CSV table of all heavy atoms in Angstrom, one decimal:
chain,number,residue,atom,x,y,z
A,106,LEU,N,25.6,15.2,-2.0
A,106,LEU,CA,26.0,16.4,-1.4
A,106,LEU,C,26.3,17.5,-2.4
A,106,LEU,O,27.1,17.2,-3.3
A,106,LEU,CB,27.1,16.2,-0.4
A,106,LEU,CG,26.9,15.1,0.7
A,106,LEU,CD1,28.1,15.0,1.6
A,106,LEU,CD2,25.6,15.5,1.6
A,107,LYS,N,25.8,18.7,-2.2
A,107,LYS,CA,26.1,19.8,-3.0
A,107,LYS,C,27.3,20.6,-2.4
A,107,LYS,O,27.2,21.0,-1.2
A,107,LYS,CB,24.9,20.7,-3.2
A,107,LYS,CG,23.7,20.0,-3.8
A,107,LYS,CD,23.9,19.5,-5.2
A,107,LYS,CE,22.7,18.8,-5.7
A,107,LYS,NZ,22.9,18.2,-7.1
A,108,LYS,N,28.3,21.0,-3.2
A,108,LYS,CA,29.5,21.6,-2.6
A,108,LYS,C,29.8,22.9,-3.2
A,108,LYS,O,29.3,23.3,-4.3
A,108,LYS,CB,30.7,20.6,-2.8
A,108,LYS,CG,30.4,19.2,-2.4
A,108,LYS,CD,31.6,18.3,-2.6
A,108,LYS,CE,32.0,18.1,-4.0
A,108,LYS,NZ,31.0,17.5,-4.9
A,109,MET,N,30.8,23.6,-2.6
A,109,MET,CA,31.3,24.9,-3.1
A,109,MET,C,32.1,24.6,-4.3
A,109,MET,O,32.0,25.4,-5.3
A,109,MET,CB,32.2,25.5,-2.0
A,109,MET,CG,33.0,26.7,-2.5
A,109,MET,SD,34.3,27.2,-1.4
A,109,MET,CE,33.4,27.7,0.1
A,110,GLY,N,32.9,23.6,-4.3
A,110,GLY,CA,33.8,23.3,-5.4
A,110,GLY,C,33.8,21.8,-5.7
A,110,GLY,O,32.9,21.1,-5.3
A,111,TRP,N,34.8,21.4,-6.5
A,111,TRP,CA,34.8,20.0,-7.0
A,111,TRP,C,33.5,19.5,-7.5
A,111,TRP,O,33.0,18.5,-7.2
A,111,TRP,CB,35.3,19.1,-5.8
A,111,TRP,CG,36.7,19.0,-5.5
A,111,TRP,CD1,37.7,19.9,-5.9
A,111,TRP,CD2,37.4,18.1,-4.7
A,111,TRP,NE1,38.9,19.5,-5.4
A,111,TRP,CE2,38.8,18.4,-4.7
A,111,TRP,CE3,37.0,16.9,-4.0
A,111,TRP,CZ2,39.7,17.7,-4.0
A,111,TRP,CZ3,37.9,16.2,-3.3
A,111,TRP,CH2,39.3,16.6,-3.3
A,112,LEU,N,32.9,20.4,-8.3
A,112,LEU,CA,31.5,20.1,-8.8
A,112,LEU,C,31.4,18.9,-9.6
A,112,LEU,O,30.3,18.3,-9.7
A,112,LEU,CB,31.0,21.4,-9.5
A,112,LEU,CG,30.9,22.7,-8.7
A,112,LEU,CD1,30.3,23.8,-9.6
A,112,LEU,CD2,30.2,22.5,-7.4
A,113,CYS,N,32.5,18.5,-10.3
A,113,CYS,CA,32.4,17.3,-11.2
A,113,CYS,C,32.6,16.0,-10.4
A,113,CYS,O,32.6,14.9,-11.0
A,113,CYS,CB,33.4,17.4,-12.4
A,113,CYS,SG,35.1,17.4,-11.9
A,114,SER,N,33.0,16.2,-9.1
A,114,SER,CA,33.2,15.0,-8.3
A,114,SER,C,32.0,14.8,-7.4
A,114,SER,O,31.7,15.6,-6.5
A,114,SER,CB,34.5,15.3,-7.4
A,114,SER,OG,34.7,14.3,-6.5
A,115,ASP,N,31.4,13.6,-7.6
A,115,ASP,CA,30.2,13.3,-6.8
A,115,ASP,C,30.6,13.0,-5.3
A,115,ASP,O,31.6,12.3,-5.1
A,115,ASP,CB,29.4,12.1,-7.4
A,115,ASP,CG,30.3,10.9,-7.5
A,115,ASP,OD1,31.2,10.9,-8.3
A,115,ASP,OD2,30.0,9.9,-6.8
A,116,THR,N,29.8,13.5,-4.4
A,116,THR,CA,30.1,13.3,-3.0
A,116,THR,C,28.9,12.8,-2.3
A,116,THR,O,27.8,13.4,-2.5
A,116,THR,CB,30.7,14.6,-2.4
A,116,THR,OG1,31.7,15.1,-3.1
A,116,THR,CG2,31.1,14.4,-0.9
A,117,ALA,N,29.0,11.8,-1.4
A,117,ALA,CA,27.8,11.2,-0.9
A,117,ALA,C,27.8,11.1,0.7
A,117,ALA,O,28.9,11.0,1.3
A,117,ALA,CB,27.6,9.8,-1.4
A,118,GLU,N,26.6,11.0,1.2
A,118,GLU,CA,26.4,10.5,2.6
A,118,GLU,C,25.8,9.1,2.4
A,118,GLU,O,24.9,8.9,1.6
A,118,GLU,CB,25.4,11.4,3.3
A,118,GLU,CG,25.2,10.9,4.8
A,118,GLU,CD,24.2,11.7,5.6
A,118,GLU,OE1,23.7,12.7,5.0
A,118,GLU,OE2,24.0,11.4,6.7
A,119,LEU,N,26.4,8.2,3.1
A,119,LEU,CA,26.0,6.8,2.9
A,119,LEU,C,25.4,6.2,4.2
A,119,LEU,O,25.8,6.6,5.3
A,119,LEU,CB,27.3,5.9,2.6
A,119,LEU,CG,28.1,6.3,1.4
A,119,LEU,CD1,29.3,5.5,1.2
A,119,LEU,CD2,27.2,6.3,0.1
A,120,GLY,N,24.4,5.4,4.1
A,120,GLY,CA,23.7,4.8,5.2
A,120,GLY,C,23.9,3.3,5.2
A,120,GLY,O,23.8,2.6,4.1
A,121,PHE,N,24.0,2.7,6.4
A,121,PHE,CA,24.2,1.2,6.5
A,121,PHE,C,23.2,0.8,7.6
A,121,PHE,O,23.3,1.2,8.7
A,121,PHE,CB,25.6,0.8,6.9
A,121,PHE,CG,26.7,1.4,6.1
A,121,PHE,CD1,27.2,2.7,6.3
A,121,PHE,CD2,27.3,0.6,5.1
A,121,PHE,CE1,28.2,3.2,5.5
A,121,PHE,CE2,28.3,1.1,4.3
A,121,PHE,CZ,28.7,2.4,4.5
A,122,SER,N,22.2,0.0,7.2
A,122,SER,CA,21.2,-0.5,8.1
A,122,SER,C,21.1,-2.0,8.0
A,122,SER,O,20.6,-2.6,7.0
A,122,SER,CB,19.8,0.1,7.7
A,122,SER,OG,18.8,-0.4,8.6
A,123,ASP,N,21.7,-2.7,9.0
A,123,ASP,CA,21.8,-4.2,9.0
A,123,ASP,C,22.3,-4.7,7.6
A,123,ASP,O,21.7,-5.7,7.1
A,123,ASP,CB,20.4,-4.8,9.3
A,123,ASP,CG,20.0,-4.5,10.8
A,123,ASP,OD1,20.9,-4.4,11.6
A,123,ASP,OD2,18.8,-4.4,11.1
A,124,VAL,N,23.4,-4.2,7.1
A,124,VAL,CA,23.9,-4.6,5.9
A,124,VAL,C,24.8,-5.8,6.1
A,124,VAL,O,25.7,-5.8,6.9
A,124,VAL,CB,24.8,-3.5,5.2
A,124,VAL,CG1,25.3,-4.0,3.9
A,124,VAL,CG2,24.0,-2.2,5.1
A,125,ARG,N,24.4,-6.9,5.4
A,125,ARG,CA,25.2,-8.2,5.6
A,125,ARG,C,26.3,-8.2,4.6
A,125,ARG,O,26.1,-8.2,3.3
A,125,ARG,CB,24.3,-9.4,5.4
A,125,ARG,CG,23.2,-9.5,6.5
A,125,ARG,CD,22.4,-10.8,6.4
A,125,ARG,NE,23.2,-11.9,6.7
A,125,ARG,CZ,23.5,-12.4,7.9
A,125,ARG,NH1,23.1,-11.7,9.0
A,125,ARG,NH2,24.2,-13.5,8.1
A,126,VAL,N,27.6,-8.3,5.1
A,126,VAL,CA,28.8,-8.2,4.2
A,126,VAL,C,29.6,-9.5,4.5
A,126,VAL,O,29.9,-9.8,5.6
A,126,VAL,CB,29.6,-7.0,4.6
A,126,VAL,CG1,30.9,-7.0,3.7
A,126,VAL,CG2,28.8,-5.7,4.4
A,127,PRO,N,29.9,-10.2,3.4
A,127,PRO,CA,30.7,-11.5,3.6
A,127,PRO,C,32.0,-11.3,4.3
A,127,PRO,O,32.7,-10.3,4.1
A,127,PRO,CB,30.9,-12.0,2.2
A,127,PRO,CG,29.8,-11.3,1.3
A,127,PRO,CD,29.6,-10.0,2.0
A,128,VAL,N,32.3,-12.2,5.2
A,128,VAL,CA,33.6,-12.1,5.9
A,128,VAL,C,34.8,-12.1,4.9
A,128,VAL,O,35.8,-11.4,5.2
A,128,VAL,CB,33.7,-13.3,6.9
A,128,VAL,CG1,35.2,-13.4,7.5
A,128,VAL,CG2,32.7,-13.2,8.0
A,129,VAL,N,34.7,-12.6,3.8
A,129,VAL,CA,35.8,-12.6,2.8
A,129,VAL,C,36.1,-11.2,2.3
A,129,VAL,O,37.1,-11.0,1.7
A,129,VAL,CB,35.5,-13.5,1.6
A,129,VAL,CG1,35.4,-15.0,2.0
A,129,VAL,CG2,34.2,-13.1,0.9
A,130,ASN,N,35.2,-10.2,2.6
A,130,ASN,CA,35.4,-8.9,2.2
A,130,ASN,C,36.2,-8.1,3.3
A,130,ASN,O,36.4,-6.9,3.1
A,130,ASN,CB,34.1,-8.1,1.9
A,130,ASN,CG,33.5,-8.5,0.6
A,130,ASN,OD1,33.9,-9.5,0.0
A,130,ASN,ND2,32.5,-7.7,0.1
A,131,LEU,N,36.6,-8.8,4.3
A,131,LEU,CA,37.5,-8.1,5.3
A,131,LEU,C,38.8,-7.9,4.7
A,131,LEU,O,39.5,-8.9,4.2
A,131,LEU,CB,37.5,-9.0,6.6
A,131,LEU,CG,38.4,-8.5,7.7
A,131,LEU,CD1,37.7,-7.3,8.4
A,131,LEU,CD2,38.6,-9.6,8.8
A,132,VAL,N,39.3,-6.7,4.8
A,132,VAL,CA,40.7,-6.4,4.2
A,132,VAL,C,41.7,-6.5,5.3
A,132,VAL,O,41.7,-5.7,6.3
A,132,VAL,CB,40.7,-5.0,3.6
A,132,VAL,CG1,42.1,-4.7,3.0
A,132,VAL,CG2,39.6,-4.8,2.6
A,133,GLY,N,42.6,-7.5,5.2
A,133,GLY,CA,43.6,-7.7,6.3
A,133,GLY,C,43.0,-8.3,7.5
A,133,GLY,O,41.7,-8.6,7.6
A,134,PRO,N,43.7,-8.5,8.6
A,134,PRO,CA,43.2,-9.1,9.8
A,134,PRO,C,42.2,-8.2,10.5
A,134,PRO,O,42.3,-6.9,10.3
A,134,PRO,CB,44.5,-9.3,10.7
A,134,PRO,CG,45.6,-9.2,9.7
A,134,PRO,CD,45.2,-8.3,8.6
A,135,GLU,N,41.3,-8.8,11.2
A,135,GLU,CA,40.4,-7.9,12.0
A,135,GLU,C,41.2,-7.1,13.0
A,135,GLU,O,42.1,-7.6,13.6
A,135,GLU,CB,39.4,-8.9,12.7
A,135,GLU,CG,38.2,-8.1,13.4
A,135,GLU,CD,37.1,-9.1,13.9
A,135,GLU,OE1,36.4,-9.7,13.1
A,135,GLU,OE2,37.1,-9.2,15.1
A,136,GLY,N,40.8,-5.9,13.1
A,136,GLY,CA,41.5,-5.0,14.1
A,136,GLY,C,42.7,-4.3,13.5
A,136,GLY,O,43.3,-3.5,14.2
A,137,SER,N,43.0,-4.5,12.2
A,137,SER,CA,44.2,-3.9,11.6
A,137,SER,C,43.8,-2.6,10.8
A,137,SER,O,44.7,-2.0,10.2
A,137,SER,CB,44.9,-4.9,10.7
A,137,SER,OG,44.1,-5.2,9.5
A,138,GLY,N,42.5,-2.3,10.8
A,138,GLY,CA,42.1,-1.2,9.9
A,138,GLY,C,42.7,0.2,10.2
A,138,GLY,O,43.1,0.9,9.3
A,139,PHE,N,42.9,0.5,11.5
A,139,PHE,CA,43.4,1.8,11.8
A,139,PHE,C,44.9,1.9,11.3
A,139,PHE,O,45.2,3.0,10.7
A,139,PHE,CB,43.4,2.0,13.3
A,139,PHE,CG,43.9,3.4,13.8
A,139,PHE,CD1,43.0,4.5,13.8
A,139,PHE,CD2,45.2,3.6,14.2
A,139,PHE,CE1,43.5,5.7,14.2
A,139,PHE,CE2,45.6,4.8,14.6
A,139,PHE,CZ,44.8,5.9,14.6
A,140,LEU,N,45.7,0.9,11.5
A,140,LEU,CA,47.1,0.9,11.0
A,140,LEU,C,47.1,1.1,9.5
A,140,LEU,O,47.9,1.8,8.9
A,140,LEU,CB,47.8,-0.3,11.4
A,140,LEU,CG,49.3,-0.4,11.0
A,140,LEU,CD1,50.1,0.7,11.5
A,140,LEU,CD2,49.9,-1.8,11.4
A,141,GLN,N,46.2,0.3,8.8
A,141,GLN,CA,46.2,0.4,7.3
A,141,GLN,C,45.8,1.8,6.9
A,141,GLN,O,46.4,2.3,5.9
A,141,GLN,CB,45.2,-0.6,6.8
A,141,GLN,CG,45.6,-2.1,7.0
A,141,GLN,CD,44.6,-3.0,6.2
A,141,GLN,OE1,44.5,-3.0,5.0
A,141,GLN,NE2,43.8,-3.8,7.0
A,142,ILE,N,44.9,2.4,7.5
A,142,ILE,CA,44.4,3.7,7.1
A,142,ILE,C,45.6,4.7,7.4
A,142,ILE,O,45.8,5.6,6.5
A,142,ILE,CB,43.2,4.1,8.0
A,142,ILE,CG1,42.0,3.3,7.6
A,142,ILE,CG2,42.9,5.6,7.8
A,142,ILE,CD1,40.8,3.4,8.5
A,143,MET,N,46.2,4.6,8.5
A,143,MET,CA,47.3,5.6,8.8
A,143,MET,C,48.5,5.5,7.8
A,143,MET,O,49.1,6.5,7.4
A,143,MET,CB,47.8,5.4,10.2
A,143,MET,CG,46.8,5.8,11.3
A,143,MET,SD,46.4,7.5,11.3
A,143,MET,CE,44.7,7.4,10.7
A,144,GLN,N,48.8,4.2,7.4
A,144,GLN,CA,49.9,4.0,6.5
A,144,GLN,C,49.5,4.7,5.1
A,144,GLN,O,50.4,5.3,4.5
A,144,GLN,CB,50.1,2.5,6.3
A,144,GLN,CG,50.8,1.9,7.5
A,144,GLN,CD,50.8,0.4,7.4
A,144,GLN,OE1,50.1,-0.3,6.7
A,144,GLN,NE2,51.8,-0.2,8.1
A,145,GLN,N,48.3,4.5,4.7
A,145,GLN,CA,47.9,5.1,3.4
A,145,GLN,C,47.6,6.6,3.5
A,145,GLN,O,47.7,7.3,2.5
A,145,GLN,CB,46.6,4.4,2.9
A,145,GLN,CG,46.8,2.9,2.5
A,145,GLN,CD,47.8,2.8,1.3
A,145,GLN,OE1,47.9,3.7,0.4
A,145,GLN,NE2,48.6,1.7,1.3
A,146,PHE,N,47.4,7.1,4.7
A,146,PHE,CA,47.1,8.5,4.9
A,146,PHE,C,48.3,9.3,4.4
A,146,PHE,O,48.2,10.4,3.9
A,146,PHE,CB,46.8,8.8,6.3
A,146,PHE,CG,45.4,9.2,6.6
A,146,PHE,CD1,44.8,9.0,7.9
A,146,PHE,CD2,44.5,9.6,5.6
A,146,PHE,CE1,43.5,9.3,8.1
A,146,PHE,CE2,43.2,9.9,5.8
A,146,PHE,CZ,42.7,9.8,7.1
A,147,GLN,N,49.5,8.8,4.6
A,147,GLN,CA,50.7,9.6,4.3
A,147,GLN,C,50.8,9.8,2.7
A,147,GLN,O,51.2,10.8,2.3
A,147,GLN,CB,52.0,8.9,4.8
A,147,GLN,CG,52.0,8.7,6.3
A,147,GLN,CD,51.6,9.9,7.1
A,147,GLN,OE1,52.1,11.0,6.8
A,147,GLN,NE2,50.7,9.8,8.0
A,148,VAL,N,50.4,8.7,2.0
A,148,VAL,CA,50.4,8.9,0.5
A,148,VAL,C,49.3,9.8,0.1
A,148,VAL,O,49.5,10.7,-0.8
A,148,VAL,CB,50.2,7.5,-0.1
A,148,VAL,CG1,50.0,7.6,-1.6
A,148,VAL,CG2,51.4,6.6,0.2
A,149,GLU,N,48.1,9.7,0.7
A,149,GLU,CA,47.0,10.6,0.4
A,149,GLU,C,47.4,12.0,0.7
A,149,GLU,O,47.1,12.9,-0.2
A,149,GLU,CB,45.8,10.2,1.2
A,149,GLU,CG,44.6,11.1,0.9
A,149,GLU,CD,43.3,10.7,1.7
A,149,GLU,OE1,43.4,9.8,2.5
A,149,GLU,OE2,42.3,11.4,1.6
A,150,ARG,N,48.0,12.3,1.8
A,150,ARG,CA,48.4,13.7,2.1
A,150,ARG,C,49.4,14.2,1.2
A,150,ARG,O,49.4,15.4,0.8
A,150,ARG,CB,48.9,13.7,3.6
A,150,ARG,CG,47.7,13.6,4.6
A,150,ARG,CD,48.2,13.3,6.0
A,150,ARG,NE,47.0,13.2,6.8
A,150,ARG,CZ,47.0,12.6,8.1
A,150,ARG,NH1,48.1,12.2,8.6
A,150,ARG,NH2,45.9,12.6,8.8
């Protein structure tokens, strides 16, 4: 993606088409993603 600013920072659109990902790559319990994201959002903000 081409942007107004942050020109040295690459920015992408990503596509996933039947991508097989090992279950061992699941971060935390299944269904816990939203809570993990919200917790880290405060640090990001």
Side-chain angles (χ1 to χ4, degrees):
L106 304 176
K107 304 297 183 182
K108 310 181 298 297
M109 172 194 295
W111 280 15
L112 300 185
C113 67
S114 174
D115 59 292
T116 308
E118 179 178 2
L119 305 175
F121 307 82
S122 179
D123 291 332
V124 182
R125 297 185 65 82
V126 180
V128 170
V129 293
N130 283 17
L131 179 69
V132 182
E135 190 172 288
S137 69
F139 184 84
L140 178 60
Q141 293 186 65
I142 292 167
M143 290 300 107
Q144 290 171 337
Q145 290 300 327
F146 254 159
Q147 303 312 312
V148 174
E149 180 183 357
R150 286 164 180 166

